[in-house]
Amino acid sequence: MRRNHLFLTMAAILCALGLTGCQKAPDAVEENGIMHAQGDMERQVQDIAAAGSQEQTQAGGGRDREAGQYQGTVGTGDNIISINAEIPALPDQLYIMTLKPDERLDGDTLLAFLDGESGSIEDTSQEYLKEIEENDRSNSTPDGNGERFLYSRFGDRSANRLGDGKKEASFSGHTSAYYVDHGLREKYFEVYSKDDGETLIPPERMGDGSFSANEAAEILLDKLKAVGVSELVFRKIYYIEGGDYGFYQMEFVPAYDGIAVDIGADSYALGQVSPNGYAIVSKEGVAEVFLSDFCAKAADKEPVTAISFEQVLDILEQYLDGGMLESDGTILYDRVELNYYPVPNPAPALDEIEYKQELVLTPIWHIYMPLDEYVEGGCGDAVGPVHICVNAVTGELEEAD
């Protein structure tokens, strides 16, 4: 089936009744769109996370660091979460990282990224900057219904673009990059318009075929060396072919030491930045690649000790018992990952396009069912979030969507 490319559970704890009567409700706090009450549950989560981190430290990082399988339910009564997934091993080191725009993405780097074949290179940077500014103005201006399309970006307001008539390359914000080979992309559209469908390439079949997805990934990574990108995690790969041409459509996210950056939710919220990439690759080369909020330099890396998945299960039980999570057990969460989560701005600009000068990544345990499985499995009437993101350091519920 053809796809269009790219591009909370809210709970309230109202009153605690004790032997002495009705006590004052704890202060409610909204963080990352999740309403929760400060009180016993929050302290219990903190205690579980602190105990788990202490056990990891005392055990020298040995306990619960091995990969394994978990199958079971968490919670009691009708409010339960069902999980059947492979649990990743805890790495030796995790960080809270602060990323900043990479000033090395300058004119010389852009020229190398373009890898032009013609001696005539046209610099259209000023026109590109005006296009971005006009796009921001247009999206921040109310339309006929009084609505605006506001969004958050990671980076500054810089822009550079070069082209030689056959290829074009651009940088924006010192964090985003784009490249297109016009001839190859035209071939891709010819094949796409005639192809009967795309073939999804699962991870275990990336090495299959005369031109494999692994080979395409190597071609892509070789192209991205110019912008300092050396590590990716692929989320979806599709293959189409026609005549003498075959193309891989690749969707991916940045990674640090093998750990993918992921926002969890399949929807976008103002204040959230979602680093991601998309590419079209053939054995003749890269037809197109787009890196959004993707390229950055690590300005600070603070080592942290992560809680184990065993502790996460205890924490989820607290959230279920306290009402912060609601689930009827219909959704089977068959994916558990350890990711780096881009911490959203809790107070984004409400009247303009927001440009974030830094992006903080924190480790999370990400428990989810892929959206396509949710739709194809007919889970539309299920009660429960598709994605659950638990802070792997503090145990806080970062996201439930």
Side-chain angles (χ1 to χ4, degrees):
M1 181 177 67
R2 298 199 179 280
R3 302 164 300 118
N4 292 323
H5 299 304
L6 194 53
F7 295 119
L8 281 178
T9 301
M10 183 175 72
I13 300 178
L14 300 176
C15 185
L17 294 175
L19 294 177
T20 57
C22 185
Q23 302 173 1
K24 179 182 178 182
D27 294 334
V29 176
E30 183 172 3
E31 185 174 357
N32 299 342
I34 300 173
M35 186 70 73
H36 66 97
Q38 294 179 311
D40 291 341
M41 182 181 63
E42 188 175 64
R43 286 190 290 272
Q44 288 167 350
V45 168
Q46 292 171 350
D47 289 344
I48 293 170
S53 297
Q54 186 176 16
E55 288 176 12
Q56 294 285 357
T57 302
Q58 291 174 347
R63 183 174 182 268
D64 294 319
R65 303 195 78 85
E66 299 297 325
Q69 184 78 21
Y70 176 82
Q71 182 176 1
T73 59
V74 185
T76 56
D78 296 330
N79 200 22
I80 60 173
I81 289 174
S82 301
I83 302 172
N84 184 6
E86 186 74 22
I87 310 304
L90 278 171
D92 291 333
Q93 189 61 72
L94 284 169
Y95 303 92
I96 292 177
M97 289 188 285
T98 301
L99 307 181
K100 292 193 174 181
D102 191 349
E103 293 85 0
R104 293 172 295 183
L105 299 183
D106 57 12
D108 291 337
T109 304
L110 184 58
L111 187 60
F113 187 44
L114 175 67
D115 190 23
E117 300 173 358
S118 168
S120 177
I121 304 293
E122 183 180 8
D123 187 333
T124 58
S125 298
Q126 289 304 311
E127 292 90 332
Y128 184 39
L129 183 59
K130 290 178 181 177
E131 290 170 16
I132 294 174
E133 291 173 347
E134 177 55 35
N135 185 68
D136 286 354
R137 266 194 307 272
S138 175
N139 286 326
S140 58
T141 301
D143 61 17
N145 298 319
E147 297 179 350
R148 293 171 292 182
F149 182 60
L150 299 176
Y151 46 83
S152 299
R153 293 287 312 275
F154 169 42
D156 54 37
R157 296 176 183 270
S158 64
N160 300 88
R161 186 170 65 189
L162 298 175
D164 67 355
K166 297 181 178 180
K167 301 176 180 179
E168 183 178 278
S170 61
F171 294 151
S172 62
H174 287 112
T175 58
S176 299
Y178 177 73
Y179 166 86
V180 60
D181 180 318
H182 294 292
L184 266 182
R185 188 174 65 166
E186 286 178 11
K187 288 290 183 184
Y188 162 76
F189 283 126
E190 288 178 14
V191 172
Y192 190 86
S193 65
K194 298 175 183 178
D195 187 67
D196 292 332
E198 307 156 319
T199 301
L200 175 64
I201 308 298
E204 63 271 16
R205 296 193 56 192
M206 284 187 64
D208 294 354
S210 58
F211 172 52
S212 69
N214 280 334
E215 291 174 288
E218 290 175 4
I219 291 172
L220 176 61
L221 281 168
D222 186 62
K223 180 66 180 175
L224 296 182
K225 285 179 182 177
V227 295
V229 173
S230 60
E231 194 175 4
L232 308 171
V233 169
F234 292 96
R235 288 309 192 197
K236 290 284 181 66
I237 299 178
Y238 292 86
Y239 182 72
I240 61 172
E241 64 179 351
D244 296 328
Y245 286 88
F247 293 91
Y248 284 97
Q249 303 160 172
M250 317 182 87
E251 301 171 16
F252 50 89
V253 294
Y256 295 88
D257 299 322
I259 300 176
V261 177
D262 204 307
I263 69 167
D266 293 299
S267 58
Y268 173 81
L270 188 61
Q272 181 75 68
V273 171
S274 175
N276 65 87
Y278 172 74
I280 300 169
V281 183
S282 73
K283 58 185 174 183
E284 287 76 24
V286 175
E288 186 175 32
V289 60
F290 177 53
L291 307 177
S292 176
D293 300 321
F294 199 104
C295 310
K297 62 180 181 182
D300 185 62
K301 295 175 68 174
E302 176 190 351
V304 292
T305 302
I307 58 177
S308 70
F309 188 71
E310 184 178 298
Q311 268 77 45
V312 172
L313 295 175
D314 293 338
I315 288 170
L316 288 176
E317 190 155 8
Q318 294 296 322
Y319 288 140
L320 288 164
D321 290 346
M324 274 186 68
L325 281 175
E326 294 182 6
S327 171
D328 62 5
T330 301
I331 298 174
L332 179 62
Y333 298 94
D334 59 0
R335 301 287 196 285
V336 174
E337 295 182 3
L338 195 63
N339 293 147
Y340 276 122
Y341 177 74
V343 179
N345 181 359
L350 299 178
D351 297 317
E352 60 185 17
I353 307 301
E354 178 189 35
Y355 282 79
K356 297 163 66 83
Q357 296 303 303
E358 65 179 31
L359 184 62
V360 176
L361 303 180
T362 189
I364 60 165
W365 283 100
H366 182 190
I367 305 158
Y368 67 105
M369 169 190 274
L371 184 59
D372 53 357
E373 289 185 15
Y374 179 90
V375 173
E376 292 172 7
C379 297
D381 295 329
V383 175
V386 179
H387 295 268
I388 302 171
C389 298
V390 176
N391 191 301
V393 180
T394 67
E396 293 178 43
L397 188 61
E398 295 286 358
E399 189 172 296
D401 185 29

